[in-house]
């Protein structure tokens, strides 16, 4: 099964109904889809590719000296001594840093900050437009999800961008690029490498499928908070990144999340006869649990929130 590819420009025109249905199916049946023709200029996306690649070149030596590289080298050395290696389960083969408006940004390459600020502005507009689409599909009152994200307008949503590179790995059988997980927050918009693959999503039947590289597409997936707000209709999908021997995979993921003090609760009736409502909670409380259990099942995280709200 291929991950759906949706022409977002058709949302404004005679094919709006079909496009809305395709987006609904992407949210509901897979939890991942790719958008093309988003309105973000290709010229800007090309600049993002360049400045991120240039930035990694300045950081490359740091990755070569990192703990994952050292841990893998130790495993391979032990294997050479006749010991069977065990896969590294506590680290990822990833170079990563995060961009937020209130945190310091890399000063080199010189064009990095200007380019990424422009890109983040465009992505934020796309995220807010998608939230509006989601509200229309789910049926709560207009603006309900955005009100939930902002505490009814009292706070700003959290908006961060994670810039990652997954360098060539000599033993991809012994370490993951990024271990399987669901995302904690709301809406994730990923500008992934259009040449080097590795991103996989788990379908509801348990199969893992590739999210194929597609030039200048934006990959969309939903996090745990959308699963709660939709009362289980739009479930957050498990995904992972495989380490590869060839190619340095670029990944620029932007997270449009609720404010930490925002209260999150189901906005629609439970899906399915006899289905129970998801718990309500403060997003910051959920994040405290998530940071300790990111790579484990999400159900215990929801259960912990249900227990906490009953106290």
């Amino acid at each position: 099964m291929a991950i759906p590819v949706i022409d977002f420009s058709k949302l404004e025109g005679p094919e709006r109904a079909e496009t809305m249905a395709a987006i609904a199916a992407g949210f509901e049946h897979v939890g991942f889809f790719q958008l093309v023709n988003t309105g973000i200029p290709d010229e800007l996306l090309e600049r993002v590719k360049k400045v991120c690649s240039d930035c990694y070149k300045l950081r490359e030596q740091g990755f070569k000296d990192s703990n994952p590289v050292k841990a893998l080298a130790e495993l391979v050395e032990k294997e050479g001594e006749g010991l069977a290696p065990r896969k590294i389960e506590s680290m990822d083969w990833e170079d990563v840093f995060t961009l937020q408006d209130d945190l310091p940004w890399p000063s080199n390459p010189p064009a990095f900050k200007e380019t990424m600020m422009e890109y983040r502005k465009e992505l934020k507009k796309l995220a807010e437009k998608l939230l509006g689409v989601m509200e229309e599909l789910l049926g709560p009152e207009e603006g309900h999800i955005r009100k939930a994200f902002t505490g009814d307008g009292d706070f700003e949503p959290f908006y961060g961008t994670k810039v990652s590179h997954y360098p060539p790995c000599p033993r991809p059988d012994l370490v993951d690029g990024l271990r399987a997980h669901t995302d904690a927050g709301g809406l994730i918009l990923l500008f992934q490498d259009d040449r080097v693959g590795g991103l996989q999503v788990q379908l509801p039947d348990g199969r893992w499928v590739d999210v194929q590289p597609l030039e200048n597409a934006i990959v969309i997936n939903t996090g745990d908070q959308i699963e709660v707000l939709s009362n289980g209709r739009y479930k957050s999908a498990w995904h992972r990144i495989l380490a590869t021997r060839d190619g340095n995979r670029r990944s620029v993921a932007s997270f449009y999340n609720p404010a930490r003090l925002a209260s999150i609760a189901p906005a629609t009736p439970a899906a399915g006869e006899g289905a129970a409502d998801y718990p309500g909670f403060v997003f910051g409380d959920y994040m405290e649990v998530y940071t300790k259990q990111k790579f484990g099942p999400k159900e215990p995280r929801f259960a912990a929130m249900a227990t906490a709200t009953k106290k």
Side-chain angles (χ1 to χ4, degrees):
M1 175 180 179
I3 299 302
V5 177
I6 301 170
D7 186 339
F8 200 58
S9 67
K10 292 183 178 179
L11 201 61
E12 311 295 336
E15 296 182 59
R16 175 178 171 79
E18 294 88 340
T19 305
M20 290 287 285
I23 293 172
F27 279 138
E28 193 161 350
H29 302 311
V30 184
F32 266 74
F33 54 89
Q34 302 203 61
L35 291 182
V36 296
N37 297 323
T38 60
I40 301 172
D42 285 347
E43 178 272 335
L44 173 58
L45 295 176
E46 292 300 324
R47 282 193 283 130
V48 169
K49 295 176 190 178
K50 184 178 188 312
V51 297
C52 288
S53 295
D54 289 347
C55 190
Y56 174 73
K57 291 174 185 176
L58 299 173
R59 298 169 52 87
E60 188 171 9
Q61 187 58 49
F63 179 76
K64 291 178 179 178
D65 296 333
S66 67
N67 288 333
V69 173
K70 293 175 182 177
L72 184 61
E74 290 176 6
L75 278 182
V76 173
E77 183 178 347
K78 290 179 180 178
E79 185 180 30
E81 297 170 355
L83 300 176
R86 296 179 62 182
K87 187 173 182 178
I88 298 172
E89 300 288 355
S90 59
M91 301 180 199
D92 302 304
W93 193 262
E94 176 187 38
D95 175 80
V96 58
F97 62 94
T98 301
L99 303 176
Q100 292 175 224
D101 290 340
D102 56 349
L103 294 179
W105 287 44
S107 56
N108 284 308
F112 182 85
K113 185 173 183 178
E114 180 183 356
T115 298
M116 294 306 293
M117 287 182 70
E118 183 180 350
Y119 171 75
R120 276 171 45 83
K121 184 177 179 180
E122 291 293 329
L123 259 286
K124 188 175 184 180
K125 289 191 292 186
L126 179 58
E128 291 172 345
K129 190 169 185 178
L130 275 169
L131 283 185
V133 170
M134 189 181 297
E135 289 168 348
E136 187 175 342
L137 291 169
L138 289 173
E141 64 183 72
E142 183 179 353
H144 182 93
I145 296 176
R146 283 169 286 191
K147 287 179 181 178
F149 273 40
T150 62
D152 204 15
D154 289 341
F155 314 107
E156 284 293 319
F158 172 85
Y159 180 51
T161 298
K162 189 181 86 161
V163 180
S164 302
H165 281 84
Y166 302 91
C169 178
R171 290 294 300 272
D173 57 316
L174 295 181
V175 64
D176 288 321
L178 181 60
R179 289 160 285 169
H181 64 286
T182 65
D183 290 319
L187 198 60
I188 298 86
L189 304 93
L190 169 67
F191 183 35
Q192 71 163 346
D193 202 293
D194 52 18
R195 296 182 181 180
V196 183
L199 175 61
Q200 293 189 325
V201 59
Q202 189 175 41
L203 301 179
D205 64 8
R207 289 181 296 146
W208 287 94
V209 298
D210 295 330
V211 181
Q212 295 287 358
L214 182 61
E215 186 172 14
N216 291 348
I218 302 296
V219 180
I220 305 298
N221 73 282
T222 50
D224 297 345
Q225 305 314 300
I226 297 299
E227 182 165 337
V228 172
L229 284 164
S230 69
N231 224 352
R233 183 170 166 186
Y234 295 166
K235 289 185 166 57
S236 55
W238 281 84
H239 53 287
R240 65 188 181 188
I241 296 173
L242 302 180
T244 58
R245 289 184 180 274
D246 302 312
N248 183 11
R249 181 181 181 274
R250 180 194 63 254
S251 171
V252 184
S254 296
F255 299 81
Y256 193 88
N257 292 348
R260 289 191 71 90
L261 294 177
S263 295
I264 302 299
T268 61
E273 186 176 348
D277 285 340
Y278 280 69
F281 47 80
V282 174
F283 178 56
D285 294 340
Y286 185 85
M287 285 303 299
E288 289 184 12
V289 175
Y290 179 85
T291 53
K292 300 172 185 174
Q293 303 179 12
K294 175 177 178 177
F295 299 106
K298 58 187 170 182
E299 290 77 12
R301 303 196 291 261
F302 294 142
M305 292 295 96
T307 301
T309 54
K310 290 178 182 177
K311 291 182 179 179

